[in-house]
Amino acid sequence: PGCDGVKTGSTSAAAFCISATATKNDTRLIAVILGSQTSAIRFEEATKLLNYGFANYETHVIMGRGEAVALDVPVTGGRQDRINGIVSDRVSVFIEKGSQDRSSYTVDMFEGIKAPVKSGQKIGEVVVSLDNEIVYRYDVVSDRDVEAAGVWDYFRKIIGCFTSGG
């Protein structure tokens, strides 16, 4: 169950081989069996390998795609002064079942972000660690476009400071 891709083959030199993929509960595994004596053995061994993987490992989802990880990130020289940082992909780590406490993450934002900024532009990273060793890096991207400010934009900001008292 869950098998969603397979490639089989055999030659006299390589014997019976298989590459199989399966997905279950957010986890995709790949099993590769080379040099089996029979076609039946290659399928049995691939099944055993996939079942072992699903029984003992899981994908721990830390945050979903598009989730905000940094709010009010400063932007200089733009029509707007702030953007939000969102993750471009689902942030996850592949771990032994029950070992979520061995994983951690940090959000590292770039400093000195200058306009223009495009929606989806990389502005930082989520760094995922397992047992204090970095295992994955995911992009943090801007949630919106920010155009570079022109002379009139700066003029309006100056006038706004006088009219708002600040």
Side-chain angles (χ1 to χ4, degrees), residues 42-161:
R42 72 175 160 194
F43 288 112
E44 290 169 18
E45 293 301 313
T47 299
K48 286 181 195 175
L49 194 56
L50 292 169
N51 285 337
Y52 176 85
F54 287 125
N56 293 285
Y57 296 89
E58 66 185 344
T59 300
H60 172 59
V61 177
I62 297 168
M63 62 189 71
R65 182 176 194 249
E67 194 169 320
V69 294
L71 301 176
D72 296 324
V73 177
V75 176
T76 59
R79 286 187 155 180
Q80 299 167 341
D81 328 29
R82 305 216 174 263
I83 54 177
N84 295 321
I86 59 174
V87 289
S88 60
D89 290 308
R90 178 183 74 169
V91 175
S92 61
V93 62
F94 187 68
I95 56 172
E96 287 183 76
K97 284 190 172 180
S99 64
Q100 293 92 334
D101 58 339
R102 293 175 42 209
S103 67
S104 62
Y105 72 92
T106 58
V107 178
D108 297 336
M109 300 302 297
F110 298 158
E111 292 187 27
I113 299 171
K114 296 179 183 176
V117 176
K118 295 287 184 193
S119 178
Q121 178 179 324
K122 184 175 178 178
I123 59 172
E125 291 181 328
V126 173
V127 180
V128 178
S129 298
L130 187 59
D131 294 327
N132 297 315
E133 287 191 40
I134 295 172
V135 291
Y136 300 109
R137 292 179 184 271
Y138 294 90
D139 290 349
V140 174
V141 299
S142 173
D143 69 337
R144 67 188 84 147
D145 290 334
V146 176
E147 294 179 26
V151 171
W152 291 110
D153 296 305
Y154 287 112
F155 182 71
R156 278 190 215 98
K157 286 182 182 184
I158 292 169
I159 296 300
C161 284

